[in-house]
Amino acid sequence: MLAKVTSFAVIGLEGAPIEVEVDISRGLSSFIIVGLPDTAVQESRERVRAAIKNSGCKFPGQRLTVNLAPADIRKAGPAYDLPIAVGILAASGQIWPDLQSSIFVGELSLDGGVRHTNGVLPMISVAKAQGYQRAYIPAEDAPEAALMPGIEIIPVSNLPELVGHLQGLNPIPPYQSQFDSKLLDQPRYGTDFRDVKGQEHVKRALEVAAAGAHCVLMTGPPGAGKTLLARALPSILPKLTIEEALEITKIYSVSGLLPADRPLITERPFRAPHHTISHAGLVGGGHWPRPGEISWAHRGVLFLDELPEFNHRVLEVMRQPLEDKIVTISRATGTLTFPANFMLVAAMNPCPCGYFGDPVKECTCSLGMIHRYRKRISGPLLDRIDIHVEVPRVEYDKLADDRLGEPSADIRARIERARETQRQRFAGAVGGANGKVSLLCNADMGPAEVREHCRLDDSGKSLLRAAMTQLGMSARAFHRILKLARTIADLEGAPEIKTHHLAEAIQYRPRRQI
Ligand SMILES: Nc1ncnc2c1ncn2[C@@H]1O[C@H](COP(=O)(O)OP(=O)(O)OP(=O)(O)O)[C@@H](O)[C@H]1O
Ligand SMILES: [Mg+2]
């Protein structure tokens, strides 16, 4: 007897159908799995055997062959346990499932329990696109799977329950999504901008950055509030749209980072990796490539505190993703691409002692030391940062002032208006530097979109020309200034870029200081 069961693998962030063929024939009792399985799949034999026996079903004592097709996709992880068990039970005539239109995913425990599997959301979205009508998913993962409407989700907690369902004795009711899109409207925040005293120009710079998803570098003496300001940034970021939330959730699902109680990521990610992070930890990698911090910060913020402390090489690998908004990882087994459209926010001191340029405390570093310290961050990386802002020490009067600043909610309202303008401008278009980015905000624009949307009048042109020569700017800086000026105009609600928008954008470029 032969049975064919459909299951799914995840390659990168995409689900791929896997056919699990089970053949039972006469002969000595044996159980083999073929079709490029890794060790976890080979071990599946023991789990499946025990789970079937402990569920009160009969494990056939004949020659059992399982083939996982297509053979060129390497099958990793334990998620094939459930489809293999279903295949065996169907081939031995113990259950009669509708195998044509259903998919099965899940790991089995020895007692027949069905366990959580990573990457359920990407699998379900492809299954739905390919016309499958029903998905048997670990009960724990049902809320995540049900985010994708239009496919029936049957939550399976254990094998005996599934057997009862497939025999038609005890049907399991399909999972009804409890998800409420209002959750996206109530993100939770830690620090509020209201509590940050002074630093008005830094707050303005962060507002501009958040409005267009531009990168920021804050430089200043110890204790000036750089880390505090960066941590307050999530509170002014615009709410996620449902498309963005699903994009982020897929990345977290594949990485196994989705919290058990929250099927959908409803807040923009804020990732702050420590400076000892490795190259693979930052951009992704490993034998079976996994997304790294830059992908976990997709559509959110990657905060690198104490930037010069990061390994020089580790920082350099961010150069390509910062331009392309995706990261490509090549392995002998193929090339994978993960989204990495993040807003880089970095903080550093101006010199090793921290007080260079401080009006109160004298800097004790030699010029050579300062040069060496700053050289740890390469020119090309600095060139990719749109907004360079200094964070000076806060004076006593400002700190001791009891009046609160502008609350984050007010700032966020302005930013959301500016983002809405941008959303309408691009209207779901695809483009950007590599032509494949779905355009949502000004920072996503490539040269073609810059040409179309960032036109200057004559006085703007002559101002930019003067700035280019005086500041020795690159062609990249030229484009970045135009994008930034577009965001500043959007914040003001101005359809055209005016000279004062451009002047503010130019002022955020780095100046030579020593
Ligand atoms: N502008 C401010 N308003 C209110 N509190 C502030 C401000 N700046 C600093 N503080 C206080 O000082 C603490 C230290 O600030 P923070 O850690 O942000 O400094 P930093 O600039 O990151 O310094 P370092 O360069 O040493 O990392 C904050 O936790 C906060 O209590
Ligand atoms: Mg700090």
Side-chain angles (χ1 to χ4, degrees), residues 392-452:
R393 70 164 62 232
V394 226
E395 287 124 29
Y396 172 80
D397 290 344
K398 284 204 173 131
L399 263 184
D401 192 343
D402 280 340
R403 276 174 302 171
L404 294 173
E406 190 181 19
S408 290
D410 294 3
I411 307 177
R412 191 169 65 243
R414 287 199 294 273
I415 290 173
E416 277 176 349
R417 266 199 304 280
R419 283 268 180 131
E420 181 54 28
T421 314
Q422 296 168 43
R423 210 178 56 76
Q424 285 172 7
R425 171 176 305 136
F426 303 123
V430 174
N434 66 358
K436 291 184 198 147
V437 181
S438 52
L439 299 173
L440 288 175
C441 47
N442 290 337
D444 298 344
M445 287 193 277
E449 291 88 23
V450 170
R451 205 173 336 110
E452 193 185 333

Side-chain angles (χ1 to χ4, degrees), residues 119-139:
V120 163
L121 186 61
M123 295 180 193
I124 297 292
S125 70
V126 175
K128 185 196 142 201
Q130 296 196 347
Y132 289 95
Q133 284 158 13
R134 203 166 302 107
Y136 293 87
I137 297 292

Side-chain angles (χ1 to χ4, degrees), residues 195-197 199 221-228 306 349 394 399:
D195 305 320
V196 184
K197 303 282 163 62
Q199 310 295 24
K226 300 179 295 296
T227 307
L228 184 73
E306 320 294 349
N349 298 125
V394 226
L399 263 184

Side-chain angles (χ1 to χ4, degrees), residues 158-402:
N158 53 53
L159 193 57
E161 213 180 276
L162 179 64
V163 170
H165 173 84
L166 295 175
Q167 287 173 337
L169 301 176
N170 277 319
I172 307 173
Y175 185 84
Q176 298 301 336
S177 178
Q178 320 272 314
F179 173 66
D180 181 0
S181 62
K182 285 206 190 74
L183 274 178
L184 289 176
D185 300 339
Q186 304 148 357
R188 293 172 274 183
Y189 305 115
T191 323
D192 196 287
F193 263 54
R194 196 173 43 190
D195 305 320
V196 184
K197 303 282 163 62
Q199 310 295 24
E200 300 306 334
H201 70 290
V202 189
K203 289 187 193 170
R204 165 70 186 171
L206 289 176
E207 176 176 339
V208 173
H214 300 282
C215 304
V216 192
L217 172 64
M218 293 184 277
T219 316
K226 300 179 295 296
T227 307
L228 184 73
L229 280 153
R231 296 211 174 271
L233 185 61
S235 68
I236 62 165
L237 290 177
K239 278 179 275 189
L240 281 177
T241 62
I242 183 77
E243 294 80 21
E244 287 177 309
L246 285 171
E247 252 178 53
I248 303 170
T249 304
K250 276 189 190 175
I251 303 173
Y252 279 68
S253 167
V254 166
S255 317
L257 287 181
L258 216 53
D261 57 334
R262 295 186 38 222
L264 184 73
I265 301 280
T266 51
E267 277 130 48
R268 288 189 185 269
F270 182 88
R271 305 289 309 181
H274 190 248
H275 58 71
T276 50
I277 190 171
S278 71
H279 172 268
L282 189 66
V283 294
H287 185 54
W288 293 110
R290 251 166 62 95
E293 289 286 348
I294 61 168
S295 297
W296 295 335
H298 182 60
R299 300 279 176 211
V301 175
L302 179 73
F303 176 43
L304 302 184
D305 207 356
E306 320 294 349
L307 190 66
E309 302 303 326
F310 282 77
N311 182 325
H312 180 76
R313 290 240 182 95
V314 169
L315 288 183
E316 292 307 294
V317 293
M318 282 195 319
R319 279 164 55 173
Q320 178 256 335
L322 269 174
E323 293 281 281
D324 291 348
K325 319 276 180 196
I326 51 173
V327 56
T328 307
I329 302 170
S330 295
R331 290 285 176 276
T333 42
T335 304
L336 287 182
T337 302
F338 294 116
N341 192 351
F342 59 95
M343 190 178 146
L344 173 67
V345 177
M348 65 183 276
N349 298 125
C351 65
C353 84
Y355 293 101
F356 179 80
D358 190 76
V360 181
K361 219 163 165 171
E362 205 175 326
C363 169
T364 54
C365 310
S366 70
L367 231 56
M369 278 161 75
I370 301 179
H371 270 299
R372 265 198 306 283
Y373 180 75
R374 297 205 181 161
K375 251 176 59 189
R376 291 195 209 159
I377 306 156
S378 73
L381 186 67
L382 288 179
D383 202 32
R384 283 166 170 77
I385 298 181
D386 300 329
I387 300 182
H388 294 246
V389 59
E390 278 173 37
V391 187
R393 70 164 62 232
V394 226
E395 287 124 29
Y396 172 80
D397 290 344
K398 284 204 173 131
L399 263 184
D401 192 343
D402 280 340

